[in-house]
């Protein structure tokens, strides 16, 4: 489609570098000092800065959030035949690493209060599988935090390790504490569509220094301390490069700005669309300060999500359905699922609206009038 003033492409969420050019300054430094590879000062500083931001003691910079989940599972001693409880309403990257370790995912439904892991279904699964459960992976979907007090309480009762997949929730808080800092491990992603991006990358945080050191060791091919190449353990090539970490340091400086804009976008949609028949927005609990990564609404009336997505697509505007639950995915269909139909209903009725922080007020009005038009037909 040829682009002109009236059909300018609007993305769901795309990279947004700082106006100040912070990212280029750190990348330039890496070039000037030839710290292009492998590691270097940007990696160390990005780890320190990210850990400080989220209130965690230690961090390991990796080349993806998926890799961070994988090594978190290893660090939690998850192995073949162990069960890992995982929300069904998430991106497949949460669940795939469970399979990498030959462990068994059991999927847990969401609740309407949080859209995240339902603590009652979680407890039912822990009762059902007992000691076989080695870890619980909690996700903060769309930047909304899970109800961490309830989840931590259930997990400590059953003495099971908590890993938080905070890939979508950098900048989001639960009762004033950063998501990703509640469990033994927290995972962040800097993939291209996340609230800040390094083009691709991830971070594993923990207060356990030994475990983070071990993760750095595994992520750089598990090289023993010897002059020759010596390996006593299976290795991975999962480390972040110093150039990429430079982008991350620059992006971290504008995280609050990005959260503010995401919140503005959400509030615009809620104000303008919230009273249309059948429209509801994702739940904002008073104990949660989300990062509003994506603005998501559900439609329970005669206008369906597909109507909205098609109308926007015609005008060169990107929107998406809510995550298709893992227990409905052909690849994961053989695994157990605990819960009712909440995640299925959210998938059926949800639409992720354009949430790109580069959008102007005019862009938002354009989106609003296209969507609103569907109600006056
Ligand atoms: C993006 C995402 C990941 C994966 O992160 P990558 O850096 O793309 O590997 C994992 N979990 C969730 C919930 C995500 O949204």
């Amino acid at each position: 489609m040829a682009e002109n003033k009236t059909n300018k492409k609007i993305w769901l969420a795309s990279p947004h570098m700082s106006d100040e050019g912070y990212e280029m300054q750190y990348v330039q430094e890496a070039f000037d000092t030839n710290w292009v590879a492998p590691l270097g000062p940007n990696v160390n500083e990005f780890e320190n800065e990210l850990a400080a931001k989220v209130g965690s003691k230690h961090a390991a910079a990796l080349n993806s959030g998926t890799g961070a989940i994988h090594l978190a599972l290893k660090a939690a001693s998850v192995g073949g035949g162990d069960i890992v409880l995982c929300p069904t309403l998430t991106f497949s990257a949460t669940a795939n690493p469970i399979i990498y370790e030959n462990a068994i995912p059991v999927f847990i439904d969401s609740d309407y209060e949080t859209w995240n892991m339902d603590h009652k279904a979680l407890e039912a699964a822990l009762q059902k599988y007992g000691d076989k459960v080695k870890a619980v992976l909690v996700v903060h979907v769309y930047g909304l935090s899970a109800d961490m007090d309830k989840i931590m309480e259930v997990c400590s009762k059953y003495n099971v390790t908590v890993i938080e997949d905070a890939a979508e929730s950098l900048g989001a808080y639960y009762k004033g504490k950063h998501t990703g800092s509640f469990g033994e491990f927290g995972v962040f992603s800097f993939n291209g569509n996340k609230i800040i991006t390094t083009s691709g990358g991830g971070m594993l945080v923990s207060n356990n220094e030994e475990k983070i050191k071990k993760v750095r060791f595994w992520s750089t091919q598990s090289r023993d301390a010897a002059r020759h190449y010596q390996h006593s353990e299976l290795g991975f090539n999962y480390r972040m490069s110093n150039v990429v970490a430079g982008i991350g340091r620059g992006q971290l400086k504008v995280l609050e700005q990005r959260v503010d804009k995401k919140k503005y976008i959400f509030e615009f949609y809620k104000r303008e669309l919230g009273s249309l028949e059948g429209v509801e927005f994702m739940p904002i609990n008073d104990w949660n300060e989300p990062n509003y990564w994506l603005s998501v609404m559900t439609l329970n009336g005669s206008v369906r999500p597909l109507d909205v997505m098609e109308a926007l697509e015609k005008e060169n505007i990107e929107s998406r359905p809510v995550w298709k639950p893992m227990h409905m995915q052909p690849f994961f269909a053989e695994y157990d699922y605990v819960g009712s139909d909440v995640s299925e209903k959210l998938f059926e009725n949800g639409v992720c609206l354009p949430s790109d922080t580069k959008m102007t007020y005019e862009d938002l009005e354009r989106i609003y009038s296209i969507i609103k038009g569907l109600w006056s037909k």
Side-chain angles (χ1 to χ4, degrees):
M1 193 189 297
E3 233 176 65
N4 58 44
K5 246 192 164 141
T6 50
N7 77 349
K8 186 185 101 187
K9 175 82 186 182
I10 297 177
W11 300 98
L12 186 72
S14 71
H16 187 177
M17 295 297 116
S18 66
D19 294 337
E20 295 83 353
Y22 298 130
E23 299 84 356
M24 273 312 289
Q25 288 167 27
Y26 290 118
V27 170
Q28 191 63 50
E29 238 173 75
F31 275 63
D32 291 346
T33 55
N34 204 34
W35 280 114
V36 170
L39 293 161
N42 280 336
V43 172
N44 303 335
E45 285 310 310
F46 189 34
E47 289 179 346
N48 293 338
E49 289 160 5
L50 193 285
K53 176 75 73 184
V54 305
S56 216
K57 288 211 182 93
H58 306 282
L62 302 169
N63 59 13
S64 73
T66 310
I69 296 169
H70 185 187
L71 295 188
L73 290 168
K74 266 182 77 70
S77 305
V78 170
D82 291 334
I83 287 175
V84 177
L85 305 181
C86 168
T88 191
L89 191 77
T90 187
F91 181 44
S92 63
T94 310
N96 284 333
I98 302 169
I99 308 293
Y100 302 166
E101 283 302 310
N102 298 310
I104 303 160
V106 169
F107 296 110
I108 311 291
D109 202 5
S110 295
D111 56 39
Y112 284 118
E113 290 69 39
T114 66
W115 287 20
N116 284 303
M117 191 182 259
D118 175 355
H119 66 93
K120 294 183 293 304
L122 170 65
E123 180 143 26
L126 283 161
Q127 271 164 5
K128 181 169 176 184
Y129 288 104
D131 287 350
K132 287 200 198 129
V133 180
K134 202 67 184 247
V136 174
L137 253 168
V138 182
V139 179
H140 307 288
V141 85
Y142 302 124
L144 305 169
S145 85
D147 192 346
M148 289 315 291
D149 280 352
K150 297 223 172 86
I151 287 172
M152 294 306 287
E153 192 187 309
V154 175
C155 290
S156 70
K157 186 167 147 194
Y158 290 85
N159 200 18
V160 58
T161 303
V162 176
I163 301 167
E164 288 176 84
D165 176 353
E168 300 176 6
S169 69
L170 181 60
Y173 295 81
Y174 174 80
K175 297 189 179 172
K177 193 164 143 60
H178 204 291
T179 56
S181 67
F182 290 82
E184 170 92 3
F185 303 100
V187 169
F188 295 94
S189 165
F190 313 108
N191 190 15
N193 63 3
K194 298 303 198 288
I195 192 157
I196 62 170
T197 182
T198 61
S199 74
M203 191 79 79
L204 181 63
V205 302
S206 178
N207 289 332
N208 187 327
E209 187 173 16
E210 287 312 305
K211 296 279 190 185
I212 290 294
K213 279 188 176 154
K214 196 71 199 238
V215 163
R216 292 196 190 110
F217 169 78
W218 287 328
S219 71
T220 48
Q221 309 284 19
S222 298
R223 286 180 62 182
D224 294 344
R227 186 180 298 275
H228 51 276
Y229 285 89
Q230 164 126 340
H231 307 276
S232 317
E233 285 188 64
L234 179 64
F236 300 84
N237 186 4
Y238 277 1
R239 202 72 161 113
M240 182 181 278
S241 90
N242 197 54
V243 173
V244 161
I247 306 174
R249 292 184 72 191
Q251 283 273 280
L252 207 51
K253 287 190 193 292
V254 292
L255 174 63
E256 275 83 19
Q257 275 180 50
R258 297 293 174 266
V259 174
D260 288 349
K261 181 65 183 273
K262 295 273 193 192
K263 185 173 183 183
Y264 174 86
I265 293 166
F266 176 79
E267 285 176 346
F268 173 91
Y269 286 134
K270 197 169 170 175
R271 184 174 67 241
E272 302 298 334
L273 302 171
S275 57
L276 294 171
E277 191 258 326
V279 171
E280 276 181 75
F281 278 85
M282 60 193 197
I284 313 297
N285 289 288
D286 55 9
W287 37 256
N288 181 201
E289 225 181 289
N291 71 358
Y292 301 90
W293 174 53
L294 295 183
S295 286
V296 190
M297 66 176 181
T298 55
L299 300 173
N300 310 296
S302 51
V303 176
R304 303 303 306 142
L306 192 60
D307 301 327
V308 172
M309 291 185 277
E310 284 181 347
L312 291 172
E313 194 175 15
K314 266 193 209 126
E315 301 294 330
N316 213 13
I317 300 168
E318 190 185 21
S319 62
R320 292 269 176 88
V322 160
W323 297 127
K324 181 174 182 177
M326 290 304 111
H327 73 276
M328 297 170 75
Q329 300 287 352
F331 181 74
F332 290 111
E334 66 183 281
Y335 300 104
D336 196 12
Y337 167 65
V338 180
S340 63
D341 63 351
V342 177
S343 59
E344 290 174 21
K345 284 278 183 288
L346 291 172
F347 169 59
E348 208 177 293
N349 296 327
V351 193
C352 302
L353 294 166
S355 306
D356 197 281
T357 50
K358 294 188 299 311
M359 285 191 293
T360 61
Y361 190 74
E362 287 67 39
D363 293 334
L364 285 170
E365 291 220 293
R366 202 178 125 211
I367 294 162
Y368 157 72
S369 65
I370 295 163
I371 296 175
K372 176 128 193 291
L374 295 167
W375 268 261
S376 37
K377 272 184 183 156

